[in-house]
Amino acid sequence: MAIDFRIRDFFHPVLIGRLWREFERNPWMPVAEQQRHQENRLRQIVAHVWEQVPHYRRVLEEAGLSPADIQTVADLPKLPVLSKQQARAAGSALHAADQRRLHPVEYHTSGTSGTPLTLLHDKYSNALEFVYYWRHWSWAGYRLGDSFAELSTLYFLKTGREDRSSAWQPHLRRLLLSSHQVSTSSAGAMARELERRGSLFLKGVASTAYHLALCMREAGCSPRPLRAVISTGEVLLPHQRALIEQVFGCRVLDSYGHMERTVAVSQCEHGGRHVNMDYGVLEFINHRPAPDGDAVLAEGIGTGLHNRAMPFLRYETGDTFELFRESRACPCGRTFPLIKAIHGRQEECVVTPDGRHLTSLFILPEFVAGLREAQFVQEGADALTIRVVPGDAFDTAQEERLLSFTQKLTGPTMRVRLARCGPADLVRTAGGKRRMVIPLAASTVRRDE
Ligand SMILES: [Zn+2]
């Protein structure tokens, strides 16, 4: 997800210190004890939504349930699944009535679907998010204060530095590399910057990290080896992993989560994808055999255990998970359960005439008011169309804003135009899911593919 990381939203040292001690211990505890902790948390959050969250109070009442009926994870299916569309329709009815005392930070996100949703993250869950990342990075050897690099688009847009390829934040020891400036001509400068700042880790959306590695290889640069690359936001494909590991001389640790903060899966140093039981409850529904017969495919449903300002119970992740037929232990010794793979979050990219791969276009609708839906369609090597389903507030000023931001990312050699259209004019997958970006090769595919 494309939300910028503001350190002040996460910096709650006392809370973080307490949570760290707990989080450091959790992955090694016996599974039965993990379950006990998880269900304690679940009961607390169910009691909270009953008292404070209008949407869930109504859902529980309509189902003839009270908090006493949801005591364990096995009780969760008594509640209906909340789809992304239902969440958007519910809007502020998902916000807790007592949110102010929880000190929430508000985020407006398009998600990958392009339709806005206002999320609230309370102080506690922001501290927890920090600790969750810290723990995962520590599996790769990270210690607080280590120098790291991060691929970002939002930072450069927000600070008006679209032309810069990097920025250094000494107080965080963070080197920001501009995702939309990654190219063979900028790769050398980025490699030198990584070395100059002593970056030990690199975090980035999977496809962007891959394109950086690809450009570095094509430019013939060999960056100083890192300790790990942490990939986020999308499915990391095997060829992407192989190239990133080769170019940066280290392992890639993949991570999975979303801004609704219901589930987190993180890959350990042995390659195991662990479900973080202390973060949320990940349920699987609609099981079916995987094509290779050795695994099972299922849809993931997430229940967050911490964010009281805007809790999500049984939230549809929209992603398909590949599960082992039988539970297995990881050589790392952590007892968090393992899943085999995650499918369905791969973003498509647009290639500019000057050879840059843009993987972050999907964040642009966040900067524009009044969009109902949007889709970026590359129609030629130098032609990009933004299809827009306008809402009431989408006026010419917003139209110019969207065009201007897009042009900043693509550069002047791409011809960018905007086409207003209806929802039926957007390209959808066989499953009816709209894709945010349609790359050149796919843009001629019929809508009913
Ligand atoms: Zn492991």
Side-chain angles (χ1 to χ4, degrees):
M1 285 279 179
I3 300 295
D4 196 20
F5 178 87
R6 292 187 304 180
I7 195 71
R8 68 185 160 87
D9 295 340
F10 293 81
F11 193 64
H12 309 293
V14 176
L15 191 50
I16 284 171
R18 180 162 63 78
L19 282 169
W20 171 250
R21 286 189 290 280
E22 187 187 324
F23 257 52
E24 208 183 17
R25 200 174 52 229
N26 289 346
W28 310 97
M29 292 196 310
V31 174
E33 203 171 328
Q34 311 245 18
Q35 278 166 345
R36 200 167 53 76
H37 278 275
Q38 190 183 48
E39 296 190 331
N40 271 338
R41 283 267 172 202
L42 177 66
R43 284 190 285 274
Q44 288 170 23
I45 207 92
V46 170
H48 169 71
V49 302
W50 173 260
E51 294 293 334
Q52 302 291 346
V53 183
H55 171 81
Y56 284 112
R57 178 67 176 240
R58 185 178 58 73
V59 165
L60 282 158
E61 283 181 344
E62 281 177 6
L65 300 169
S66 76
D69 297 305
I70 315 285
Q71 294 288 303
T72 66
V73 169
D75 292 328
L76 271 173
K78 294 176 185 171
L79 287 173
V81 169
L82 178 71
S83 71
K84 289 177 194 288
Q85 290 84 349
Q86 287 168 329
R88 281 193 293 274
S92 60
L94 283 166
H95 296 168
D98 64 345
Q99 53 155 295
R100 289 189 65 155
R101 71 175 185 85
L102 304 167
H103 308 290
V105 178
E106 199 171 284
Y107 292 101
H108 304 280
T109 173
S110 65
T112 48
S113 64
T115 309
L117 177 68
T118 299
L119 296 175
L120 300 179
H121 292 153
D122 62 33
K123 175 180 163 181
Y124 183 87
S125 81
N126 277 335
L128 187 118
E129 197 71 5
F130 182 93
V131 171
Y132 155 67
Y133 274 108
W134 180 10
R135 176 171 71 188
H136 185 211
W137 287 39
S138 77
W139 296 0
Y142 171 82
R143 299 174 69 167
L144 271 192
D146 280 349
S147 181
F148 70 101
E150 187 169 342
L151 283 156
S152 170
T153 289
L154 207 57
Y155 172 83
F156 294 91
L157 279 179
K158 276 191 166 172
T159 54
R161 300 176 188 177
E162 298 86 4
D163 302 338
R164 300 263 302 271
S165 64
S166 66
W168 169 243
Q169 296 177 307
H171 56 299
L172 299 176
R173 297 188 53 73
R174 174 166 77 159
L175 171 68
L176 288 145
L177 299 176
S178 171
S179 303
H180 64 276
Q181 291 290 353
V182 172
S183 69
T184 46
S185 52
S186 66
M190 288 189 178
R192 285 192 295 279
E193 217 30 39
L194 282 167
E195 179 152 1
R196 179 171 164 226
R197 303 302 181 188
S199 304
L200 299 172
F201 302 87
L202 171 68
K203 177 192 174 198
V205 169
S207 59
T208 313
Y210 169 71
H211 289 306
L212 177 61
L214 192 64
C215 291
M216 284 190 171
R217 192 182 66 174
E218 285 177 357
C221 40
S222 37
R224 199 178 67 166
L226 302 176
R227 289 197 189 153
V229 172
I230 314 283
S231 68
T232 63
E234 298 169 357
V235 169
L236 176 72
L237 302 172
H239 74 278
Q240 295 177 326
R241 173 188 293 278
L243 185 76
I244 298 169
E245 292 188 341
Q246 187 193 345
V247 169
F248 292 106
C250 65
R251 277 189 157 278
V252 178
L253 267 57
D254 197 13
S255 65
Y256 169 86
H258 51 204
M259 290 302 290
E260 291 83 353
R261 293 189 179 168
T262 65
V263 293
V265 178
S266 24
Q267 198 171 25
C268 73
E269 64 277 27
H270 289 267
R273 292 179 175 80
H274 291 275
V275 179
N276 291 237
M277 286 181 72
D278 50 2
Y279 187 100
V281 179
L282 179 54
E283 285 177 84
F284 299 106
I285 59 169
N286 301 335
H287 293 73
R288 56 202 185 273
D292 70 1
D294 186 35
V296 178
L297 295 178
E299 311 308 319
I301 304 294
T303 296
L305 295 173
H306 301 282
N307 184 24
R308 289 172 173 242
M310 190 176 188
F312 284 89
L313 271 60
R314 302 208 81 217
Y315 183 63
E316 172 194 69
T317 64
D319 298 313
T320 301
F321 293 76
E322 195 170 336
L323 313 175
F324 294 112
R325 281 193 182 277
E326 286 161 13
S327 66
R328 54 178 71 189
C330 188
C332 74
R334 294 180 185 91
T335 51
F336 281 167
L338 291 175
I339 57 168
K340 192 173 178 193
I342 304 166
H343 302 288
R345 282 170 73 88
Q346 190 194 353
E347 286 292 335
E348 307 277 13
C349 69
V350 162
V351 183
T352 62
D354 55 348
R356 288 175 299 122
H357 291 72
L358 304 180
T359 52
S360 307
L361 287 173
F362 68 93
I363 72 166
L364 290 177
E366 287 180 44
F367 290 84
V368 180
L371 277 182
R372 280 182 53 206
E373 292 186 288
Q375 186 169 61
F376 297 89
V377 185
Q378 183 159 16
E379 298 187 293
D382 63 349
L384 180 72
T385 298
I386 316 167
R387 290 184 190 163
V388 167
V389 182
D392 292 340
F394 190 75
D395 54 20
T396 49
Q398 294 304 321
E399 184 172 320
E400 278 165 24
R401 191 172 161 82
L402 179 57
L403 277 167
S404 148
F405 274 124
T406 309
Q407 195 79 65
K408 277 179 183 167
L409 292 194
T410 61
T413 51
M414 184 72 96
R415 290 179 292 119
V416 181
R417 70 182 191 99
L418 187 144
R420 291 170 178 248
C421 64
D425 297 308
L426 302 178
V427 178
R428 294 177 197 273
T429 64
K433 201 171 165 182
R434 179 173 43 70
R435 292 147 68 187
M436 197 67 185
V437 176
I438 310 298
L440 188 54
S443 60
T444 53
V445 173
R446 285 164 8 126
R447 265 206 312 283
D448 56 352
E449 66 184 298

